[in-house]
Amino acid sequence: MSDLPFFAPLRARLKALPPLWVDTALAVLVMVAQLGPFLSRHTPGAGPWHWWGYVVVIATAVPLVWRRRAPVVVLMVTLVVGALYDLADNLPSQPIWYGGLIALYTVAAHSSRRPRVAMLVFSCGGGLLLVGSSETALRGIVQFIAAYAIGRAAAAARAYATALEERASRLEYERRIEAERAAERERARIARDMHDILAHAVSLMVVQAEAGPVVVRSDPARAEAAFDAIASAGRDAMVQLRRMLGALKDDPGPRSPQPTIVDLAKLADGVSGTGLDVTYSVSGEPRPLLPDAEVAAYRMTQEALTNVVKHAGATRADIRLLWQDDTLMISVIDDGHGSGSPFPAGGNGLIGIRERAAAFGGSTTAGPRPDGPGFQVLVRLPLAQATTASP
């Protein structure tokens, strides 16, 4: 019934009222209902009803104002006072003692197990002992048991609603935490991508800018090529940054794809314009990777080449992709001595490579070449994760 359109707003308004107001109104309503029989003119004797009946009716209704604060005490007072109703003669019969039923309902709905069971036994036992008619006693017991059952049902419904609210709050909290973690991962990914893009472009531009003035008179063609490489690196960085920033917008328009493994040959050609001889080779049978893994492979190679340009002082670098049965090996090897770099030491290049590889269950090895001068970065990506599961 509470779900019907008429009762739902009424129930919401009643819940918004202070409990004391509701209980006071309930006490007044019970008092009026139990005073109803006194309006009857069919008195067994001549004259008005005895005043004692009015006192008992009022005394059984008023305690309901405090039924939530002291349910057991209110029930005992209501039952004991109600039992004194028949001490006087010339009184109308009370078909239902509403005060006692409401008090027992409150005990069943708000009290712990022992008090409520004890008060149920007390109510039913008192009815059997004090009521003379077996029919009246049976009717009273049925009413008490019904009030108790309704109270327990209300308590169960309240507990269920509380459990649902707690579960909803917990799910909302978990959802919010997961959203924050996802946002943090996305911020970290964007930071890595921007670092890779800017570091690579700026490194190429700095190297070419330093080489240009040296050869501008002796080799104008090479100087022109250097300036062209600067412009090309800047344009490429702008395109990639625009693509990345566009992905952060809500605009559903078309977006350019991220660079992937198939763009590594172009990357090698672009770095070769700096005067560094870069070769690119692939062995084994290539396999399709997840889009995120494709982008990660490109970014890791790009960052390794950026480190070569910035810090190695090398003349040659080799990019090698080796497709094995269960692993993709990416290696970037240079012949540098780590000297003559115009860039400050430090940075997060190798850290970013390790983080990208770890996101797909892979690993990174970086250190001096075992077979000669130079440096080597070796990345192992398990194909089981790079082809079937996102990081």
Short mmCIF file of all heavy atoms in Angstrom, two decimals, residues 34-95:
data_model
loop_
_atom_site.label_atom_id
_atom_site.label_comp_id
_atom_site.label_asym_id
_atom_site.label_seq_id
_atom_site.Cartn_x
_atom_site.Cartn_y
_atom_site.Cartn_z
N GLN A 34 -10.74 5.24 21.96
CA GLN A 34 -11.17 4.50 23.15
C GLN A 34 -12.24 5.26 23.94
O GLN A 34 -12.92 4.66 24.79
CB GLN A 34 -9.96 4.19 24.04
CG GLN A 34 -9.01 3.22 23.38
CD GLN A 34 -7.84 2.79 24.28
OE1 GLN A 34 -7.17 1.84 23.99
NE2 GLN A 34 -7.62 3.49 25.37
N LEU A 35 -12.37 6.54 23.68
CA LEU A 35 -13.48 7.28 24.29
C LEU A 35 -14.75 7.16 23.47
O LEU A 35 -15.83 7.61 23.91
CB LEU A 35 -13.10 8.76 24.45
CG LEU A 35 -12.10 9.09 25.55
CD1 LEU A 35 -11.72 10.56 25.50
CD2 LEU A 35 -12.66 8.73 26.93
N GLY A 36 -14.63 6.57 22.30
CA GLY A 36 -15.80 6.42 21.44
C GLY A 36 -16.95 5.69 22.09
O GLY A 36 -18.12 6.14 21.99
N PRO A 37 -16.72 4.56 22.78
CA PRO A 37 -17.85 3.86 23.42
C PRO A 37 -18.60 4.71 24.44
O PRO A 37 -19.78 4.43 24.74
CB PRO A 37 -17.17 2.66 24.08
CG PRO A 37 -15.95 2.42 23.25
CD PRO A 37 -15.48 3.77 22.85
N PHE A 38 -17.96 5.75 24.99
CA PHE A 38 -18.64 6.58 25.98
C PHE A 38 -19.69 7.49 25.34
O PHE A 38 -20.48 8.12 26.04
CB PHE A 38 -17.62 7.44 26.74
CG PHE A 38 -16.78 6.67 27.71
CD1 PHE A 38 -15.62 6.02 27.31
CD2 PHE A 38 -17.15 6.56 29.04
CE1 PHE A 38 -14.84 5.31 28.20
CE2 PHE A 38 -16.39 5.85 29.95
CZ PHE A 38 -15.23 5.20 29.52
N LEU A 39 -19.70 7.58 24.02
CA LEU A 39 -20.71 8.37 23.35
C LEU A 39 -22.03 7.64 23.22
O LEU A 39 -23.05 8.21 22.85
CB LEU A 39 -20.21 8.78 21.95
CG LEU A 39 -18.93 9.62 21.91
CD1 LEU A 39 -18.53 9.89 20.46
CD2 LEU A 39 -19.12 10.92 22.67
N SER A 40 -22.01 6.34 23.53
CA SER A 40 -23.23 5.56 23.45
C SER A 40 -24.17 5.95 24.59
O SER A 40 -23.74 6.17 25.72
CB SER A 40 -22.90 4.06 23.53
OG SER A 40 -24.09 3.31 23.63
N ARG A 41 -25.43 6.01 24.30
CA ARG A 41 -26.43 6.38 25.31
C ARG A 41 -27.08 5.16 25.95
O ARG A 41 -27.97 5.30 26.79
CB ARG A 41 -27.51 7.25 24.66
CG ARG A 41 -26.97 8.57 24.13
CD ARG A 41 -28.08 9.43 23.57
NE ARG A 41 -27.58 10.69 23.07
CZ ARG A 41 -28.33 11.65 22.52
NH1 ARG A 41 -29.65 11.44 22.40
NH2 ARG A 41 -27.81 12.77 22.09
N HIS A 42 -26.67 3.97 25.51
CA HIS A 42 -27.26 2.76 26.07
C HIS A 42 -26.51 2.37 27.33
O HIS A 42 -25.62 1.54 27.31
CB HIS A 42 -27.24 1.63 25.04
CG HIS A 42 -27.99 1.96 23.79
ND1 HIS A 42 -29.37 1.98 23.73
CD2 HIS A 42 -27.55 2.30 22.55
CE1 HIS A 42 -29.76 2.31 22.50
NE2 HIS A 42 -28.67 2.50 21.77
N THR A 43 -26.78 3.02 28.40
CA THR A 43 -26.14 2.73 29.67
C THR A 43 -26.97 1.73 30.45
O THR A 43 -28.20 1.75 30.42
CB THR A 43 -25.99 4.01 30.50
OG1 THR A 43 -27.31 4.54 30.73
CG2 THR A 43 -25.16 5.04 29.77
N PRO A 44 -26.30 0.82 31.17
CA PRO A 44 -27.04 -0.16 31.94
C PRO A 44 -27.78 0.46 33.12
O PRO A 44 -28.75 -0.09 33.63
CB PRO A 44 -25.95 -1.14 32.42
CG PRO A 44 -24.69 -0.34 32.38
CD PRO A 44 -24.84 0.62 31.26
N GLY A 45 -27.35 1.59 33.57
CA GLY A 45 -28.03 2.25 34.68
C GLY A 45 -28.50 3.63 34.28
O GLY A 45 -28.26 4.11 33.18
N ALA A 46 -29.21 4.28 35.16
CA ALA A 46 -29.65 5.65 34.88
C ALA A 46 -28.52 6.60 35.12
O ALA A 46 -27.82 6.50 36.04
CB ALA A 46 -30.84 5.99 35.77
N GLY A 47 -28.31 7.60 34.36
CA GLY A 47 -27.26 8.57 34.57
C GLY A 47 -26.08 8.33 33.65
O GLY A 47 -26.04 7.38 32.86
N PRO A 48 -25.06 9.19 33.75
CA PRO A 48 -23.89 9.12 32.86
C PRO A 48 -22.96 7.97 33.22
O PRO A 48 -23.09 7.33 34.26
CB PRO A 48 -23.22 10.47 33.09
CG PRO A 48 -23.57 10.84 34.49
CD PRO A 48 -24.97 10.29 34.73
N TRP A 49 -22.01 7.76 32.31
CA TRP A 49 -20.98 6.75 32.57
C TRP A 49 -20.13 7.17 33.76
O TRP A 49 -19.94 8.34 34.04
CB TRP A 49 -20.08 6.56 31.34
CG TRP A 49 -20.77 6.08 30.08
CD1 TRP A 49 -20.94 6.77 28.94
CD2 TRP A 49 -21.35 4.80 29.88
NE1 TRP A 49 -21.61 6.02 28.00
CE2 TRP A 49 -21.87 4.80 28.56
CE3 TRP A 49 -21.52 3.65 30.66
CZ2 TRP A 49 -22.52 3.70 28.00
CZ3 TRP A 49 -22.16 2.56 30.11
CH2 TRP A 49 -22.66 2.58 28.80
N HIS A 50 -19.55 6.16 34.41
CA HIS A 50 -18.73 6.44 35.59
C HIS A 50 -17.44 7.14 35.17
O HIS A 50 -16.83 6.82 34.16
CB HIS A 50 -18.42 5.11 36.31
CG HIS A 50 -17.93 5.30 37.71
ND1 HIS A 50 -16.66 5.67 38.03
CD2 HIS A 50 -18.59 5.15 38.91
CE1 HIS A 50 -16.51 5.75 39.33
NE2 HIS A 50 -17.69 5.43 39.92
N TRP A 51 -17.02 8.11 35.99
CA TRP A 51 -15.81 8.90 35.68
C TRP A 51 -14.54 8.05 35.63
O TRP A 51 -13.55 8.40 34.99
CB TRP A 51 -15.63 10.01 36.72
CG TRP A 51 -15.47 9.50 38.14
CD1 TRP A 51 -16.46 9.32 39.04
CD2 TRP A 51 -14.26 9.12 38.77
NE1 TRP A 51 -15.97 8.84 40.22
CE2 TRP A 51 -14.60 8.71 40.08
CE3 TRP A 51 -12.92 9.08 38.39
CZ2 TRP A 51 -13.65 8.24 40.99
CZ3 TRP A 51 -11.97 8.63 39.29
CH2 TRP A 51 -12.33 8.21 40.57
N TRP A 52 -14.55 6.91 36.35
CA TRP A 52 -13.36 6.06 36.39
C TRP A 52 -12.96 5.58 34.99
O TRP A 52 -11.77 5.47 34.68
CB TRP A 52 -13.60 4.87 37.32
CG TRP A 52 -12.46 3.89 37.36
CD1 TRP A 52 -12.42 2.65 36.84
CD2 TRP A 52 -11.18 4.09 37.95
NE1 TRP A 52 -11.21 2.03 37.07
CE2 TRP A 52 -10.42 2.93 37.77
CE3 TRP A 52 -10.60 5.18 38.65
CZ2 TRP A 52 -9.12 2.78 38.23
CZ3 TRP A 52 -9.29 5.02 39.11
CH2 TRP A 52 -8.57 3.84 38.90
N GLY A 53 -13.91 5.33 34.15
CA GLY A 53 -13.62 4.87 32.81
C GLY A 53 -12.83 5.91 32.02
O GLY A 53 -11.89 5.57 31.28
N TYR A 54 -13.20 7.20 32.16
CA TYR A 54 -12.48 8.26 31.47
C TYR A 54 -11.02 8.32 31.92
O TYR A 54 -10.10 8.51 31.11
CB TYR A 54 -13.16 9.61 31.71
CG TYR A 54 -14.55 9.72 31.11
CD1 TYR A 54 -15.67 9.44 31.88
CD2 TYR A 54 -14.72 10.10 29.80
CE1 TYR A 54 -16.94 9.53 31.36
CE2 TYR A 54 -16.00 10.20 29.26
CZ TYR A 54 -17.10 9.92 30.04
OH TYR A 54 -18.37 10.02 29.51
N VAL A 55 -10.81 8.16 33.24
CA VAL A 55 -9.45 8.23 33.78
C VAL A 55 -8.58 7.11 33.21
O VAL A 55 -7.44 7.32 32.79
CB VAL A 55 -9.48 8.16 35.32
CG1 VAL A 55 -8.08 8.04 35.89
CG2 VAL A 55 -10.19 9.40 35.88
N VAL A 56 -9.14 5.89 33.18
CA VAL A 56 -8.36 4.76 32.69
C VAL A 56 -8.05 4.92 31.21
O VAL A 56 -6.92 4.66 30.76
CB VAL A 56 -9.12 3.45 32.96
CG1 VAL A 56 -8.41 2.28 32.27
CG2 VAL A 56 -9.26 3.20 34.45
N VAL A 57 -9.02 5.33 30.42
CA VAL A 57 -8.79 5.50 28.97
C VAL A 57 -7.70 6.53 28.73
O VAL A 57 -6.79 6.32 27.91
CB VAL A 57 -10.10 5.91 28.27
CG1 VAL A 57 -9.82 6.42 26.87
CG2 VAL A 57 -11.07 4.74 28.23
N ILE A 58 -7.77 7.67 29.43
CA ILE A 58 -6.74 8.71 29.23
C ILE A 58 -5.38 8.20 29.71
O ILE A 58 -4.34 8.43 29.07
CB ILE A 58 -7.15 9.99 30.00
CG1 ILE A 58 -8.42 10.58 29.38
CG2 ILE A 58 -6.03 11.01 29.98
CD1 ILE A 58 -8.98 11.75 30.15
N ALA A 59 -5.36 7.45 30.82
CA ALA A 59 -4.09 6.96 31.37
C ALA A 59 -3.45 5.89 30.48
O ALA A 59 -2.23 5.70 30.52
CB ALA A 59 -4.33 6.40 32.77
N THR A 60 -4.23 5.18 29.70
CA THR A 60 -3.64 4.18 28.79
C THR A 60 -3.18 4.80 27.47
O THR A 60 -2.39 4.19 26.74
CB THR A 60 -4.66 3.08 28.48
OG1 THR A 60 -5.85 3.65 27.93
CG2 THR A 60 -5.00 2.30 29.74
N ALA A 61 -3.66 6.00 27.15
CA ALA A 61 -3.30 6.64 25.88
C ALA A 61 -2.12 7.59 26.00
O ALA A 61 -1.24 7.64 25.13
CB ALA A 61 -4.50 7.38 25.29
N VAL A 62 -2.07 8.35 27.10
CA VAL A 62 -1.01 9.37 27.25
C VAL A 62 0.40 8.78 27.22
O VAL A 62 1.30 9.36 26.61
CB VAL A 62 -1.25 10.17 28.54
CG1 VAL A 62 -0.06 11.08 28.85
CG2 VAL A 62 -2.52 11.01 28.42
N PRO A 63 0.69 7.63 27.85
CA PRO A 63 2.06 7.10 27.81
C PRO A 63 2.60 6.82 26.41
O PRO A 63 3.82 6.71 26.23
CB PRO A 63 1.96 5.81 28.63
CG PRO A 63 0.81 6.01 29.53
CD PRO A 63 -0.17 6.82 28.73
N LEU A 64 1.74 6.71 25.42
CA LEU A 64 2.20 6.44 24.05
C LEU A 64 3.09 7.56 23.52
O LEU A 64 3.83 7.37 22.55
CB LEU A 64 1.01 6.23 23.11
CG LEU A 64 0.16 4.99 23.39
CD1 LEU A 64 -1.01 4.93 22.42
CD2 LEU A 64 1.01 3.73 23.28
N VAL A 65 3.01 8.74 24.13
CA VAL A 65 3.89 9.84 23.70
C VAL A 65 5.35 9.45 23.86
O VAL A 65 6.21 9.89 23.09
CB VAL A 65 3.55 11.11 24.50
CG1 VAL A 65 4.50 12.24 24.17
CG2 VAL A 65 2.10 11.53 24.24
N TRP A 66 5.64 8.61 24.86
CA TRP A 66 7.05 8.22 25.14
C TRP A 66 7.35 6.77 24.71
O TRP A 66 8.29 6.16 25.20
CB TRP A 66 7.32 8.35 26.65
CG TRP A 66 7.17 9.76 27.13
CD1 TRP A 66 8.09 10.75 27.09
CD2 TRP A 66 6.00 10.31 27.75
NE1 TRP A 66 7.58 11.90 27.62
CE2 TRP A 66 6.29 11.66 28.05
CE3 TRP A 66 4.73 9.81 28.07
CZ2 TRP A 66 5.37 12.51 28.65
CZ3 TRP A 66 3.81 10.67 28.67
CH2 TRP A 66 4.13 11.99 28.95
N ARG A 67 6.56 6.23 23.80
CA ARG A 67 6.68 4.81 23.45
C ARG A 67 8.03 4.48 22.81
O ARG A 67 8.55 3.37 22.98
CB ARG A 67 5.55 4.41 22.52
CG ARG A 67 5.62 5.03 21.13
CD ARG A 67 4.40 4.72 20.28
NE ARG A 67 4.54 5.24 18.92
CZ ARG A 67 5.00 4.54 17.90
NH1 ARG A 67 5.35 3.26 18.08
NH2 ARG A 67 5.11 5.08 16.70
N ARG A 68 8.64 5.40 22.09
CA ARG A 68 9.95 5.11 21.47
C ARG A 68 11.09 5.22 22.46
O ARG A 68 12.11 4.56 22.29
CB ARG A 68 10.20 6.05 20.29
CG ARG A 68 9.13 5.96 19.19
CD ARG A 68 9.51 6.91 18.05
NE ARG A 68 8.33 7.28 17.28
CZ ARG A 68 8.23 7.13 15.96
NH1 ARG A 68 9.22 6.59 15.29
NH2 ARG A 68 7.14 7.51 15.32
N ARG A 69 10.93 6.08 23.46
CA ARG A 69 12.01 6.27 24.43
C ARG A 69 12.06 5.12 25.44
O ARG A 69 13.15 4.68 25.82
CB ARG A 69 11.81 7.60 25.18
CG ARG A 69 11.80 8.81 24.27
CD ARG A 69 11.60 10.08 25.09
NE ARG A 69 11.46 11.26 24.22
CZ ARG A 69 11.27 12.49 24.69
NH1 ARG A 69 11.16 12.70 26.02
NH2 ARG A 69 11.14 13.50 23.87
N ALA A 70 10.90 4.66 25.91
CA ALA A 70 10.85 3.59 26.91
C ALA A 70 9.72 2.64 26.53
O ALA A 70 8.66 2.60 27.19
CB ALA A 70 10.65 4.15 28.31
N PRO A 71 9.90 1.83 25.49
CA PRO A 71 8.79 0.99 25.01
C PRO A 71 8.31 -0.03 26.03
O PRO A 71 7.10 -0.25 26.17
CB PRO A 71 9.37 0.31 23.76
CG PRO A 71 10.85 0.41 23.89
CD PRO A 71 11.11 1.68 24.63
N VAL A 72 9.23 -0.65 26.78
CA VAL A 72 8.83 -1.67 27.74
C VAL A 72 8.03 -1.05 28.89
O VAL A 72 6.97 -1.57 29.30
CB VAL A 72 10.07 -2.42 28.27
CG1 VAL A 72 9.68 -3.37 29.40
CG2 VAL A 72 10.76 -3.18 27.14
N VAL A 73 8.49 0.08 29.40
CA VAL A 73 7.79 0.75 30.50
C VAL A 73 6.41 1.21 30.04
O VAL A 73 5.40 1.06 30.77
CB VAL A 73 8.62 1.94 31.01
CG1 VAL A 73 7.84 2.73 32.06
CG2 VAL A 73 9.94 1.45 31.59
N VAL A 74 6.32 1.78 28.86
CA VAL A 74 5.03 2.25 28.34
C VAL A 74 4.06 1.08 28.20
O VAL A 74 2.87 1.18 28.56
CB VAL A 74 5.23 2.97 27.00
CG1 VAL A 74 3.89 3.22 26.31
CG2 VAL A 74 5.96 4.29 27.21
N LEU A 75 4.53 -0.06 27.71
CA LEU A 75 3.65 -1.22 27.56
C LEU A 75 3.16 -1.71 28.92
O LEU A 75 1.95 -2.01 29.08
CB LEU A 75 4.40 -2.34 26.83
CG LEU A 75 3.64 -3.66 26.70
CD1 LEU A 75 2.32 -3.46 25.96
CD2 LEU A 75 4.49 -4.72 26.02
N MET A 76 4.04 -1.79 29.91
CA MET A 76 3.62 -2.27 31.23
C MET A 76 2.60 -1.33 31.85
O MET A 76 1.59 -1.76 32.41
CB MET A 76 4.85 -2.42 32.13
CG MET A 76 5.80 -3.52 31.71
SD MET A 76 7.15 -3.76 32.87
CE MET A 76 6.27 -4.35 34.29
N VAL A 77 2.85 -0.01 31.74
CA VAL A 77 1.90 0.96 32.30
C VAL A 77 0.55 0.84 31.61
O VAL A 77 -0.52 0.84 32.26
CB VAL A 77 2.47 2.39 32.18
CG1 VAL A 77 1.40 3.42 32.54
CG2 VAL A 77 3.68 2.55 33.08
N THR A 78 0.57 0.72 30.31
CA THR A 78 -0.68 0.65 29.55
C THR A 78 -1.48 -0.59 29.92
O THR A 78 -2.71 -0.54 30.12
CB THR A 78 -0.37 0.66 28.04
OG1 THR A 78 0.36 1.84 27.71
CG2 THR A 78 -1.65 0.63 27.24
N LEU A 79 -0.79 -1.75 30.02
CA LEU A 79 -1.49 -3.00 30.35
C LEU A 79 -2.02 -2.99 31.78
O LEU A 79 -3.16 -3.41 32.04
CB LEU A 79 -0.56 -4.18 30.13
CG LEU A 79 -0.15 -4.47 28.68
CD1 LEU A 79 0.81 -5.65 28.63
CD2 LEU A 79 -1.38 -4.74 27.82
N VAL A 80 -1.21 -2.52 32.73
CA VAL A 80 -1.63 -2.53 34.13
C VAL A 80 -2.80 -1.58 34.35
O VAL A 80 -3.80 -1.93 35.01
CB VAL A 80 -0.44 -2.17 35.04
CG1 VAL A 80 -0.93 -1.95 36.48
CG2 VAL A 80 0.61 -3.26 35.01
N VAL A 81 -2.69 -0.38 33.79
CA VAL A 81 -3.78 0.58 33.96
C VAL A 81 -5.04 0.07 33.26
O VAL A 81 -6.16 0.19 33.77
CB VAL A 81 -3.36 1.96 33.42
CG1 VAL A 81 -4.55 2.93 33.44
CG2 VAL A 81 -2.22 2.52 34.25
N GLY A 82 -4.89 -0.51 32.07
CA GLY A 82 -6.05 -1.04 31.37
C GLY A 82 -6.74 -2.16 32.13
O GLY A 82 -7.97 -2.32 32.05
N ALA A 83 -5.96 -2.92 32.89
CA ALA A 83 -6.55 -4.01 33.67
C ALA A 83 -7.43 -3.50 34.80
O ALA A 83 -8.26 -4.24 35.35
CB ALA A 83 -5.44 -4.90 34.22
N LEU A 84 -7.27 -2.21 35.18
CA LEU A 84 -8.06 -1.62 36.26
C LEU A 84 -9.38 -1.04 35.76
O LEU A 84 -10.13 -0.44 36.54
CB LEU A 84 -7.25 -0.52 36.96
CG LEU A 84 -5.88 -0.95 37.54
CD1 LEU A 84 -5.18 0.26 38.15
CD2 LEU A 84 -6.08 -2.04 38.59
N TYR A 85 -9.67 -1.19 34.51
CA TYR A 85 -10.85 -0.56 33.91
C TYR A 85 -12.15 -1.09 34.53
O TYR A 85 -13.11 -0.33 34.76
CB TYR A 85 -10.84 -0.81 32.39
CG TYR A 85 -11.97 -0.17 31.64
CD1 TYR A 85 -11.96 1.20 31.38
CD2 TYR A 85 -13.05 -0.93 31.16
CE1 TYR A 85 -13.00 1.78 30.67
CE2 TYR A 85 -14.08 -0.36 30.46
CZ TYR A 85 -14.05 1.01 30.20
OH TYR A 85 -15.08 1.59 29.50
N ASP A 86 -12.17 -2.37 34.84
CA ASP A 86 -13.42 -2.98 35.31
C ASP A 86 -13.62 -2.83 36.81
O ASP A 86 -14.54 -3.46 37.38
CB ASP A 86 -13.44 -4.46 34.95
CG ASP A 86 -13.50 -4.67 33.44
OD1 ASP A 86 -14.11 -3.83 32.76
OD2 ASP A 86 -12.93 -5.67 32.94
N LEU A 87 -12.83 -2.03 37.49
CA LEU A 87 -13.02 -1.84 38.93
C LEU A 87 -14.29 -1.05 39.24
O LEU A 87 -14.79 -1.09 40.37
CB LEU A 87 -11.80 -1.12 39.54
CG LEU A 87 -10.49 -1.92 39.54
CD1 LEU A 87 -9.38 -1.09 40.19
CD2 LEU A 87 -10.68 -3.25 40.28
N ALA A 88 -14.76 -0.31 38.27
CA ALA A 88 -15.98 0.48 38.49
C ALA A 88 -17.13 -0.11 37.67
O ALA A 88 -16.90 -0.80 36.68
CB ALA A 88 -15.75 1.95 38.12
N ASP A 89 -18.36 0.17 38.12
CA ASP A 89 -19.53 -0.27 37.37
C ASP A 89 -20.00 0.84 36.43
O ASP A 89 -19.48 1.94 36.43
CB ASP A 89 -20.65 -0.63 38.35
CG ASP A 89 -20.25 -1.82 39.24
OD1 ASP A 89 -19.49 -2.69 38.73
OD2 ASP A 89 -20.68 -1.85 40.40
N ASN A 90 -21.02 0.53 35.69
CA ASN A 90 -21.63 1.49 34.77
C ASN A 90 -20.59 2.06 33.80
O ASN A 90 -20.42 3.27 33.68
CB ASN A 90 -22.31 2.63 35.55
CG ASN A 90 -23.25 3.44 34.67
OD1 ASN A 90 -23.73 2.95 33.65
ND2 ASN A 90 -23.49 4.68 35.07
N LEU A 91 -19.86 1.15 33.10
CA LEU A 91 -18.85 1.55 32.10
C LEU A 91 -19.15 0.85 30.79
O LEU A 91 -19.61 -0.30 30.76
CB LEU A 91 -17.44 1.16 32.57
CG LEU A 91 -16.89 1.89 33.79
CD1 LEU A 91 -15.55 1.29 34.17
CD2 LEU A 91 -16.77 3.38 33.52
N PRO A 92 -18.90 1.52 29.66
CA PRO A 92 -19.10 0.86 28.36
C PRO A 92 -17.99 -0.17 28.13
O PRO A 92 -16.86 -0.01 28.59
CB PRO A 92 -19.02 2.00 27.36
CG PRO A 92 -18.14 3.01 28.00
CD PRO A 92 -18.43 2.92 29.49
N SER A 93 -18.28 -1.21 27.40
CA SER A 93 -17.25 -2.21 27.09
C SER A 93 -16.31 -1.65 26.02
O SER A 93 -16.71 -0.91 25.13
CB SER A 93 -17.92 -3.49 26.59
OG SER A 93 -18.66 -3.23 25.40
N GLN A 94 -15.04 -2.02 26.16
CA GLN A 94 -14.03 -1.60 25.19
C GLN A 94 -13.72 -2.80 24.29
O GLN A 94 -13.08 -3.76 24.72
CB GLN A 94 -12.75 -1.14 25.92
CG GLN A 94 -12.91 0.14 26.69
CD GLN A 94 -12.95 1.37 25.77
OE1 GLN A 94 -12.62 1.28 24.59
NE2 GLN A 94 -13.39 2.50 26.32
N PRO A 95 -14.14 -2.78 23.02
CA PRO A 95 -13.89 -3.93 22.15
C PRO A 95 -12.41 -4.15 21.89
O PRO A 95 -11.95 -5.28 21.79
CB PRO A 95 -14.65 -3.57 20.87
CG PRO A 95 -14.81 -2.09 20.91
CD PRO A 95 -14.91 -1.71 22.36
#
